[in-house]
Amino acid sequence: MKQTLLILFLVFPFMALAQLQESFSDGNFTQNPTWTGDVTSFIVNTQSRLQSNGPAVTGTTLQLVTPSQAIVGTTWEFWANLKLATSATNYTDVYLVADKQDLNAADLNGYFVRIGNTTDDVSLYRKDAGKSSVILINGQDNTINSTDNVVRVRVTRSVNYEWQLSIDVTGTGQSYVSQGVATDATHKSSGYFGVVLKYTSANSKNFYFDDFTIVDAQPPVLEELQTKTPQELILTFNEPLQPAAAQTIANYTLNGNIKPTIAELQSPTTLRLVFGQNFKTGSNTVTIANLQDLYGNVLNSPTTRNFTFVPPAVLPNYNELIITEIMADETPAVGLPAQEYIEIYNPTEKVLSLKGIKLSDATATTTLPDVQLLPSEYAVVVPTTQAANFTPFGKVIGISNFPGLNNSGELLQLRRPDGKLIYAVNYSDAWYKDAAKREGGWSLEMIDVTNPCAGAGNWTASKDPKGGTPAQPNSVAAANPDNIPPTIVNATAISATQVLVRFNERLDSTQAATITNYGISPTIAVSNAEVQGPLYTEVILTFSAPLQEKQLYTLTATNLTDCSGNLNSQPQTITFALPSLPEPGDVVINEVLFNPRPNGVDFVELVNRSNKYIDLKNWQLANTSGDTISNLKTITIANYVLAPGQYVVLTSNPENIKTNYPAANTNAFLKMASLPSYPDDAGTIVVLQPNGKVADRFSYSSEMHFALLDDVNGVSLERIRLDGETMANNFHSAATTVFATPSYKNSQSQEGMATAQVFEIEPQVFSPDGDGIDDFTTINYNTSQTGLTANITIYDAQGREVHKLVRNELLAANGYFRWDGLKQDGSKATIGYYVFYIELFGLNGEKSEFKEKVVVGGRL
């Protein structure tokens, strides 16, 4: 194309194509301008007029042409004298516009004026390639009906493509009469101007022409603007442009200050502009200055043209389409239709195609329809049947099988048709941060849509009075950037050769999958690192050698970045161990709150009293119905490893427990959807291992509480001795100074003691006042034989019986009994000395007697 244009410009330099003025006063038509065609059949006569001089043969057709690219905003004028009676075989066509040098070519396109015909008129025609001529302006009949027809013709074509034909039969140019007007823009380029004669033999020398003039006094006009690519414009003008000005980059400006990198003429009327950056999506402006046509007509002032750019729709990549609002619990409705919905948002400058994108929750998947989402545009996704109800709020996408959203939370995903992840969010009702709004009618809204990687910290309950802002910017919108690098939450060995590492936020999956970023001590080589989708908060590390049980390992992670690009410059460490298979009694019930305060909740605390690391994944909590274990509840489906001596608190509402017992360790809670029923009066707590074996069992009753407590609500029962049996004698009410000790050492705990003799008292002085300091005493025993039974009776200093503590109790090899300082009638023993009278009976009836002193103390 460039070579063709260059040849064209060289053959027809713009100065040579200046407005035509031909009076033949120089006596020839071979130069200034140059005419071609049947040049031997024309002469310039003594009157300096062009005269036909062709062969005297009927049916002869002659033509004479000269270059002309004038096409619009132009006036054509000429004088003609046909000294003959015009007819269907004697007439002339004056081509104002022609795209071929051969005016008789069948594929010619152009416009011409015909003088003469069967109706002896002057009319304007259009010629289309391969077709018959079409009349545009039908001149008045019989205006040239003599044998000496003089006429001056003037034709104008405006920049709006309106044609006007006028004739002056006096030939002076002083008495023009309009023959009509017409609008036609079929042909918009020209290469030639010329005349065609058709005659019978007697009229070969009877055609005379003079004063051909073509005047273009209008500057070029931009007719069409097209965006060919996101950085390329094609401008089409109504007439050929002067090449030097057209290809001057300084003459064009995009959006007020952007100059093109390329300005190139692709044809005389078509200009290509290329810019170094993409057009804005939506409205853009291009300004054009200093352009001129081939005849020197320059734009009087800069021309500005607005255009809208909408890039082709593309499928979104990761985080290029995000979920920004979730209405999971729609009732009671606040001000919106009572319908669950999901809001999606396009944070890019692209036009996104949603066709085939999969929207999934935990149990179902639906496909979005063929819809486009513009840059920074929101849309609400609802069931098709509800679409009309949401139309007033903004863009609505109706789908036939909208997934039901869990009120408490679940994982939502957007995936491309090829399965690649676009976005995932695992919302929770805890994200409302407002107990009242969590009850329904309010949506969860993303705070900062430019921070899609964030979790709970970037979501909260809507503030809009309607309860939400579907298909609109969120009511809670604010800057909430992520400037904090990721940290390790925990690490759990899920097999002998793999450890699952959890982070507090989404990771850059490329960095997280680099094995050199991890180290293990004692040293084991990391052979693979696999980032777990769709949230990318977990990494599974695979080792080249197996881990050893009961060995504590330290994991070090370096050079990890989060989804937002924040790098943790300091190495992070965390410990983990390979869990061992549990045995019953390894993990036991350590504390129970079955009678919470008003508006409080129950909890069960477990403790690992073994030297193993034990994973609680798929363990269960239960109660009993008669003699049957029932109402089983899974503690956790995730890995949760208890280290030796570690506590864990099981409850349905950790926040409630932490509020009532502020000293609780936040990290030692496992939230369960619900606990089995544990009545206030009495019940049984059962802990089951994944293999169904009973890990521990505790039958409690309200009678086990210290009898002198005024109010036992909110007071837990605590295990006294970690290595003791899970039985009533080994539990006591928590100290009234704390009421309960969830997640930390029991207020009434007591270390086991090795007795040097059969019976020893510890402590020998105690104060049963519920303050957690020596609230009871223990009678510890250690026998050398089994099968012994015991009676223990308590006497005061005056020898009066106070309490029958033990009757016919079968003893283990070692153990203890507990006295809480209460007399037989439930009243508190007074301050003073007391004696334990102990009777020990053997299998053969032999009897031993022991007396041990104890002091009941207190405030006077």
Side-chain angles (χ1 to χ4, degrees), residues 240-314:
L241 301 176
Q242 194 276 325
Q247 298 183 127
T248 300
I249 287 174
N251 289 340
Y252 311 96
T253 307
L254 173 68
N255 295 331
N257 60 358
I258 305 170
K259 296 295 181 181
T261 57
I262 296 174
E264 174 188 57
L265 272 177
Q266 292 188 309
S267 77
T269 59
T270 304
L271 178 71
R272 173 175 173 258
L273 298 179
V274 180
F275 296 87
Q277 63 188 74
N278 288 351
F279 305 129
K280 295 186 301 182
T281 298
S283 179
N284 292 263
T285 300
V286 63
T287 301
I288 305 162
N290 303 321
L291 292 193
Q292 55 183 291
D293 61 17
L294 298 178
Y295 311 111
N297 298 302
V298 183
L299 291 175
N300 295 326
S301 59
T303 296
T304 298
R305 177 67 63 88
N306 296 324
F307 66 95
T308 299
F309 177 68
V310 179
V314 296

Side-chain angles (χ1 to χ4, degrees), residues 381-506:
V381 182
V382 295
T384 303
T385 56
Q386 289 286 328
N389 293 333
F390 282 84
T391 300
F393 304 112
K395 188 165 189 172
V396 182
I397 299 173
I399 53 177
S400 58
N401 53 338
F402 186 87
L405 304 178
N406 292 341
N407 293 353
S408 60
E410 63 179 323
L411 176 66
L412 300 178
Q413 299 182 63
L414 293 170
R415 290 185 179 270
R416 290 163 50 110
D418 59 8
K420 292 182 179 178
L421 180 68
I422 300 172
Y423 181 74
V425 58
N426 193 12
Y427 73 92
S428 164
D429 58 4
W431 291 10
Y432 285 97
K433 305 176 182 72
D434 186 308
K437 291 182 177 181
R438 184 166 54 185
E439 296 304 312
W442 297 86
S443 71
L444 283 172
E445 293 184 345
M446 183 182 284
I447 298 170
D448 188 346
V449 297
T450 67
N451 183 17
C453 299
N458 200 33
W459 289 78
T460 192
S462 175
K463 295 180 180 178
D464 192 277
K466 299 187 300 297
T469 55
Q472 300 169 0
N474 291 342
S475 63
V476 300
N480 187 31
D482 178 8
N483 299 317
I484 301 174
T487 57
I488 300 175
V489 175
N490 58 53
T492 305
I494 56 176
S495 75
T497 56
Q498 289 185 318
V499 63
L500 175 65
V501 188
R502 294 187 181 91
F503 291 81
N504 67 330
E505 59 177 324
R506 303 185 193 199

Side-chain angles (χ1 to χ4, degrees), residues 788-855:
L788 298 178
T789 59
N791 292 329
I792 301 178
T793 306
I794 304 172
Y795 295 90
D796 64 14
Q798 287 72 39
R800 293 172 296 191
E801 181 178 308
V802 173
H803 189 62
K804 289 183 172 64
L805 185 64
V806 173
R807 281 294 176 266
N808 299 319
E809 185 79 23
L810 181 63
L811 302 184
N814 55 74
Y816 74 96
F817 296 102
R818 173 173 57 88
W819 183 41
D820 55 10
L822 298 183
K823 298 192 291 186
Q824 196 72 40
D825 61 4
S827 62
K828 182 179 178 181
T830 58
I831 295 173
Y833 286 94
Y834 292 85
V835 174
F836 292 123
Y837 173 62
I838 305 170
E839 298 173 292
L840 196 60
F841 301 94
L843 293 175
N844 298 320
E846 63 273 24
K847 177 181 177 182
S848 302
E849 297 180 353
F850 302 86
K851 294 180 181 180
E852 301 291 340
K853 292 180 181 180
V854 68
V855 176

Side-chain angles (χ1 to χ4, degrees), residues 93-352:
D93 290 340
V94 179
Y95 270 87
L96 314 176
V97 172
D99 67 344
K100 300 288 189 302
Q101 189 172 8
D102 181 1
L103 302 181
N104 292 314
D107 60 348
L108 177 71
N109 291 299
Y111 298 92
F112 63 87
V113 173
R114 177 166 289 177
I115 303 174
N117 207 333
T118 56
T119 55
D120 298 325
D121 61 4
V122 179
S123 298
L124 178 66
Y125 288 78
R126 186 185 77 231
K127 176 65 174 68
D128 300 329
K131 298 180 181 179
S132 299
S133 300
V134 177
I135 192 166
L136 297 181
I137 300 176
N138 189 0
Q140 183 179 348
D141 294 349
N142 299 315
T143 52
I144 50 170
N145 57 2
S146 71
T147 58
D148 188 8
N149 299 291
V150 174
V151 64
R152 187 173 287 273
V153 178
R154 183 169 66 194
V155 179
T156 62
R157 191 188 197 191
S158 73
V159 293
N160 296 320
Y161 300 101
E162 182 181 82
W163 295 88
Q164 181 168 353
L165 170 64
S166 300
I167 64 173
D168 178 0
V169 294
T170 69
T172 64
Q174 302 300 314
S175 304
Y176 277 114
V177 176
S178 175
Q179 302 298 294
V181 295
T183 299
D184 188 278
T186 304
H187 305 309
K188 296 182 178 181
S189 63
S190 179
Y192 302 92
F193 171 89
V195 296
V196 177
L197 314 180
K198 188 172 184 178
Y199 59 81
T200 56
S201 60
N203 295 318
S204 63
K205 299 182 180 181
N206 293 336
F207 294 85
Y208 298 84
F209 300 94
D210 201 358
D211 297 336
F212 288 111
T213 61
I214 302 175
V215 177
D216 176 358
Q218 299 294 323
V221 174
L222 177 62
E223 286 196 322
E224 186 179 8
L225 182 151
Q226 293 179 318
T227 54
K228 188 174 183 180
T229 71
Q231 298 180 344
E232 185 175 354
L233 290 177
I234 300 297
L235 308 182
T236 303
F237 291 84
N238 67 337
E239 62 177 318
L241 301 176
Q242 194 276 325
Q247 298 183 127
T248 300
I249 287 174
N251 289 340
Y252 311 96
T253 307
L254 173 68
N255 295 331
N257 60 358
I258 305 170
K259 296 295 181 181
T261 57
I262 296 174
E264 174 188 57
L265 272 177
Q266 292 188 309
S267 77
T269 59
T270 304
L271 178 71
R272 173 175 173 258
L273 298 179
V274 180
F275 296 87
Q277 63 188 74
N278 288 351
F279 305 129
K280 295 186 301 182
T281 298
S283 179
N284 292 263
T285 300
V286 63
T287 301
I288 305 162
N290 303 321
L291 292 193
Q292 55 183 291
D293 61 17
L294 298 178
Y295 311 111
N297 298 302
V298 183
L299 291 175
N300 295 326
S301 59
T303 296
T304 298
R305 177 67 63 88
N306 296 324
F307 66 95
T308 299
F309 177 68
V310 179
V314 296
L315 283 170
N317 294 313
Y318 184 64
N319 276 351
E320 290 186 342
L321 177 68
I322 60 177
I323 295 171
T324 51
E325 188 172 350
I326 302 166
M327 177 66 84
D329 188 356
E330 74 281 14
T331 57
V334 176
L336 295 172
Q339 171 59 51
E340 297 177 349
Y341 65 77
I342 293 171
E343 178 187 82
I344 56 178
Y345 172 68
N346 176 3
T348 74
E349 294 184 356
K350 306 174 185 178
V351 175
L352 300 182

Side-chain angles (χ1 to χ4, degrees), residues 581-726:
L581 290 175
E583 293 293 336
D586 285 347
V587 175
V588 295
I589 299 164
N590 192 56
E591 186 176 359
V592 180
L593 179 67
F594 55 85
N595 51 342
R597 296 167 180 164
N599 300 318
V601 294
D602 295 353
F603 73 76
V604 174
E605 181 187 74
L606 306 180
V607 64
N608 179 5
R609 64 178 185 180
S610 73
N611 63 352
K612 306 172 185 176
Y613 292 86
I614 297 176
D615 192 351
L616 295 185
K617 180 179 180 181
N618 294 327
W619 282 51
Q620 293 176 307
L621 203 57
N623 58 20
T624 58
S625 177
D627 295 329
T628 303
I629 297 174
S630 61
N631 199 18
L632 281 69
K633 305 282 187 179
T634 299
I635 293 174
T636 177
I637 59 173
N639 300 101
Y640 192 95
V641 176
L642 276 183
Q646 183 179 348
Y647 305 98
V648 63
V649 180
L650 313 178
T651 181
S652 62
N653 193 338
E655 290 78 14
N656 182 282
I657 299 298
K658 295 171 195 173
T659 298
N660 282 289
Y661 308 99
N665 177 7
T666 302
N667 298 322
F669 282 78
L670 264 180
K671 181 179 179 181
M672 297 176 59
S674 64
L675 268 63
S677 175
Y678 297 126
D680 288 359
D681 56 346
T684 300
I685 301 168
V686 182
V687 181
L688 296 169
Q689 298 173 176
N691 59 7
K693 290 183 178 180
V694 175
D696 199 19
R697 178 179 181 140
F698 177 46
S699 294
Y700 67 87
S701 75
S702 60
E703 299 298 323
M704 294 171 58
H705 275 297
F706 184 49
L708 297 183
L709 288 176
D710 294 329
D711 183 5
V712 297
N713 289 324
V715 179
S716 69
L717 287 178
E718 295 181 331
R719 192 182 197 94
I720 297 172
R721 292 192 179 177
L722 185 61
D723 57 355
E725 296 183 31
T726 306

